[in-house]
Amino acid sequence: MKLPFAESWKIKMVEPIRMSTLEERKKWLAEAHYNVFQLKAEQVYIDLLTDSGTGAMSDRQWAEMMLGDESYAGATSFYKFEAVVKKIFGMQYVIPTHQGRAAENVLFSYLVKQGNVIPGNAHFDTTKGHIESRKAKAIDVTCDEAKDTQLEVPFKGNVSLEKLEKVLVENKGNVPFMVLTVTNNTVGGQPVSMKNIKETCALCHKYGVPVVMDSARFAENAYFIKTREEGYADKSIKEIALEMYKDIDAMTMSAKKDGVVNMGGFIATNNKEWYEGAKLFCIPFEGYVTYGGMNGRDLNALAVGLMENTEYDMLHTRIHQVAYLASLLDEYKIPYQRPAGGHAIFVDADKILSKIPKEEFPAQTLTCELYLEAGIRACEIGYMLADRDPVTRENRFGGLDLLRLAIPRRVYTDNHMQVIAAALKNVMERRDSITRGVAIEWEAPLMRHFTVKLKRL
Ligand SMILES: *Cc1c(COP(=O)(O)O)cnc(C)c1O
């Protein structure tokens, strides 16, 4: 008999969690103004808000924390970390930052000027925030396949070279760089193929435009290249990662994802001029360049996390769990962005709560219903997150309206996946009784989804 698949780790420490009652959840959700970001974590049973900073570190990472060098300048921890970044990404210059958006802040402070245009395959919300707050414009150039959630194609995160070229031609001299996000978080954790990475770089470079890789889930992207793209089956994840970065000009990294640490990020580049320029913004915003917003112990844990999370077994365990949840949703006929992504399942809320008009935010409503059903906290990646057009101030209803079930790394078991799928099935079964959504009572001028106050209609 062929042995079944099992996790490539065993559990050494546990954290108790508790299921609440429906009455408790109703009260808590109302107090949170129907925004799950405003819930207390202890009011949540299974927390799928994000896979960012929520992973479980390994015993080796914890051991490295004890060896952290907290010297202000030139700590051994920095050099350990720098050596790993050089090895995995082939980048010579490294600036640590306290998380991914801080890396964006430092690099974009140097590169982005008012009126610039920055194309990308669905900019992440903080990335877009850092572009728009500098009065520059982010233009989405993701391939059209990404818009159809039911289409099964292997690399739905790809850049449309046609759309990209149009932006490059129309904005000649005004594009400081292009942002290539791997995996493409916003359209459902969908990977970008190696072929598309190379073609995107070639096209940008033809117009003299550098490429910045938004790298939060680079290792998951490498896993998908290995398992889905011709010619990569026999390459290691580390070989693939190195190849992904061969033509890239710089990277920003949220280490809270594929670095498997609770806090951290960095910028890396081979461009000495950019390094020197970004350094000037690192010191006032983040800290001196050998710690840049991180502790020595966290740099050590990150160095180990990057090495571990570029091993096939670790990635296979993780992506297998996400695929398992997807298989349960298939069984219950719950529509989601196909094929299953790397770090999350993106449920197609529009298709489930089809009676709720756009203006009442179906995905946000589904987030509330899933919490009420079983204390599961998911995240809206839809019309609320899409926010308003910075010029017209109209809601942006052009994209997808999704509910994201983000799976933290090495945290939940397959039994938890069964609870999640069953809870969604129950919501699905009573969907005809859910006819009204939510309305905004208060919102912030930028990145409103974190703090928005809603009422239930
Ligand atoms: C999380 C993320 C960021 C921002 O990183 P933080 O560590 O949350 O600040 C940027 N880009 C992508 C694609 C991300 O997933």
Side-chain angles (χ1 to χ4, degrees):
M1 181 178 175
K2 187 172 180 283
L3 294 180
F5 170 81
E7 290 77 5
S8 64
W9 35 260
K10 57 182 179 174
I11 297 166
K12 194 174 255 179
M13 188 184 283
V14 298
E15 177 182 342
I17 50 176
R18 164 182 160 314
M19 179 56 128
S20 49
T21 65
L22 178 60
E23 286 315 303
E24 285 176 322
R25 292 194 293 277
K26 279 185 177 163
K27 178 170 164 277
W28 293 334
L29 191 60
E31 285 168 1
H33 300 277
Y34 301 92
N35 177 356
V36 293
F37 278 101
Q38 302 297 316
L39 287 170
K40 292 182 179 145
E42 62 186 8
Q43 297 167 339
V44 174
Y45 174 48
I46 300 176
D47 204 346
L48 308 180
L49 187 63
T50 176
D51 64 321
S52 178
T54 53
M57 291 207 297
S58 68
D59 54 353
R60 282 139 234 236
Q61 286 179 287
W62 280 106
E64 272 298 322
M65 300 231 7
M66 296 303 294
L67 299 175
D69 177 356
E70 306 303 342
S71 305
Y72 192 91
T76 57
S77 297
F78 174 74
Y79 295 107
K80 238 183 223 179
F81 160 71
E82 186 192 43
V84 169
V85 172
K86 283 183 181 171
K87 188 179 159 95
I88 292 180
F89 304 102
M91 299 274 185
Q92 295 308 305
Y93 305 108
V94 187
I95 300 176
T97 61
H98 78 274
Q99 58 184 90
R101 68 199 66 187
E104 291 163 358
N105 185 35
V106 168
L107 188 63
F108 294 6
S109 290
Y110 172 61
L111 292 177
V112 180
K113 304 280 177 292
Q114 183 171 339
N116 279 167
V117 168
I118 294 149
N121 53 338
H123 309 71
F124 183 67
D125 58 351
T126 62
T127 317
K128 187 184 262 171
H130 276 301
I131 291 169
E132 291 179 349
S133 67
R134 289 174 172 81
K135 302 204 160 39
K137 200 169 162 198
I139 299 182
D140 182 20
V141 294
T142 308
C143 64
D144 285 331
E145 284 93 335
K147 286 203 186 113
D148 179 354
T149 61
Q150 299 312 296
L151 191 69
E152 291 262 357
V153 295
F155 293 103
K156 256 178 156 173
N158 277 357
V159 171
S160 156
L161 298 172
E162 217 171 281
K163 290 187 200 173
L164 174 61
E165 185 152 30
K166 187 161 175 282
V167 175
L168 295 175
V169 168
E170 287 175 359
N171 299 281
K172 230 173 177 169
N174 197 28
V175 184
F177 58 91
M178 183 261 177
V179 183
L180 182 54
T181 306
V182 293
T183 55
N184 188 328
N185 186 353
T186 312
V187 304
Q190 298 293 326
V192 180
S193 71
M194 187 72 87
K195 180 165 178 278
N196 192 251
I197 293 173
K198 289 184 176 172
E199 287 173 349
T200 298
C201 288
L203 182 60
C204 284
H205 291 159
K206 188 177 118 187
Y207 288 91
V209 171
V211 179
V212 174
M213 189 92 106
D214 183 351
S215 308
R217 298 183 186 79
F218 78 96
E220 290 171 6
N221 201 93
Y223 174 90
F224 285 122
I225 289 174
K226 180 177 169 76
T227 54
R228 292 181 184 172
E229 192 164 350
E230 214 188 306
Y232 291 92
D234 297 329
K235 295 215 159 109
S236 71
I237 299 292
K238 286 187 174 67
E239 285 169 336
I240 294 170
L242 204 54
E243 189 174 334
M244 280 166 63
Y245 285 87
K246 208 172 129 277
D247 302 329
I248 297 294
D249 298 275
M251 65 183 288
T252 54
M253 174 75 184
S254 169
K256 302 167 70 169
K257 281 74 166 239
D258 273 349
V260 206
V261 288
N262 304 117
M263 190 54 72
F266 59 91
I267 301 165
T269 180
N270 279 324
N271 183 331
K272 188 155 195 299
E273 203 179 308
W274 279 20
Y275 169 68
E276 295 296 339
K279 241 164 75 172
L280 298 178
F281 292 94
C282 179
I283 294 171
F285 286 143
E286 293 291 298
Y288 182 64
V289 290
T290 58
Y291 73 88
M294 287 180 76
N295 299 306
R297 53 182 175 270
D298 289 342
L299 286 168
N300 275 14
L302 175 54
V304 175
L306 286 169
M307 289 303 285
E308 282 182 355
N309 202 32
T310 44
E311 285 300 316
Y312 176 79
D313 285 354
M314 162 80 189
L315 289 160
H316 185 58
T317 297
R318 164 166 185 65
I319 290 167
H320 185 276
Q321 185 173 53
V322 177
Y324 174 63
L325 175 58
S327 73
L328 295 174
L329 299 189
D330 284 339
E331 202 178 301
Y332 302 151
K333 305 211 165 17
I334 295 165
Y336 59 87
Q337 168 75 294
R338 310 186 75 90
H343 66 291
I345 301 287
F346 291 68
V347 176
D348 198 340
D350 247 352
K351 287 204 170 65
I352 296 180
L353 299 183
S354 49
K355 288 191 173 153
I356 298 181
K358 282 191 189 64
E359 294 73 18
E360 295 181 15
F361 301 97
Q364 184 70 32
T365 308
L366 189 58
T367 307
C368 294
E369 291 297 335
L370 183 61
Y371 176 71
L372 291 174
E373 183 64 37
I376 296 166
R377 175 158 67 172
C379 182
E380 195 253 21
I381 304 272
Y383 303 143
M384 193 63 71
L385 180 104
D387 221 314
R388 292 176 187 274
D389 184 283
V391 179
T392 67
R393 300 306 296 158
E394 290 296 321
N395 278 309
R396 288 191 274 214
F397 289 129
L400 296 171
D401 197 34
L402 305 170
L403 169 95
R404 183 179 75 174
L405 307 166
I407 312 298
R409 294 166 183 78
R410 304 188 282 212
V411 171
Y412 292 113
T413 67
D414 286 359
N415 288 327
H416 293 111
M417 300 304 121
Q418 292 177 19
V419 174
I420 298 158
L424 267 171
K425 179 173 187 276
N426 291 347
V427 174
M428 184 89 169
E429 279 170 0
R430 59 180 172 77
R431 64 179 168 159
D432 286 343
S433 65
I434 308 167
T435 54
R436 297 299 304 271
V438 294
I440 294 174
E441 289 200 308
W442 178 87
E443 66 184 285
L446 201 68
M447 291 195 243
R448 65 180 180 187
H449 59 290
F450 290 120
T451 53
V452 69
K453 290 185 177 165
L454 303 165
K455 69 172 176 209
R456 199 63 206 263
L457 296 166

